[in-house]
Amino acid sequence: MQSVVDTNLQRQIEDALKRAEFKKVLYLYDETGHKRLIGVFNKKRASQIKKYFRSQNLINRITEFDIRTTEPDSTF
């Protein structure tokens, strides 16, 4: 019985990996050094957001990470 549950979970994981896309996670550091999540975005939208922060002279406060996820893009 245990193997049936594990097989079902493995199938769900494999299906999720097939749907997953590479995206960027953006964080903004405030004046006190605390990291705040901006959101999860596709690469094109992330570059637009970074361009916006560059125009506001805040680009040195932005960090980004590459992830693979099935989550939809965040709103900005």
Side-chain angles (χ1 to χ4, degrees):
M1 193 66 156
Q2 183 68 21
S3 63
V4 172
V5 173
D6 291 338
T7 305
N8 189 22
L9 291 176
Q10 185 65 30
R11 189 175 313 128
Q12 289 177 0
I13 291 169
E14 290 172 359
D15 290 342
L17 285 174
K18 289 177 186 175
R19 292 188 321 261
E21 300 175 6
F22 285 101
K23 295 189 178 193
K24 300 262 185 193
V25 177
L26 298 177
Y27 290 96
L28 176 68
Y29 286 89
D30 61 9
E31 303 83 31
T32 59
H34 293 95
K35 183 167 63 170
R36 298 182 189 263
L37 176 68
I38 297 174
V40 178
F41 306 98
N42 63 27
K43 292 181 180 185
K44 182 179 177 184
R45 182 71 174 139
S47 67
Q48 292 172 346
I49 293 170
K50 288 190 308 185
K51 190 182 292 186
Y52 167 76
F53 281 110
R54 188 174 290 118
S55 71
Q56 300 293 318
N57 292 327
L58 295 173
I59 192 66
N60 59 345
R61 294 187 181 187
I62 301 293
T63 59
E64 65 179 278
F65 299 98
D66 293 326
I67 63 167
R68 190 170 178 191
T69 183
T70 59
E71 293 294 318
D73 287 358
S74 303
T75 57
F76 178 72

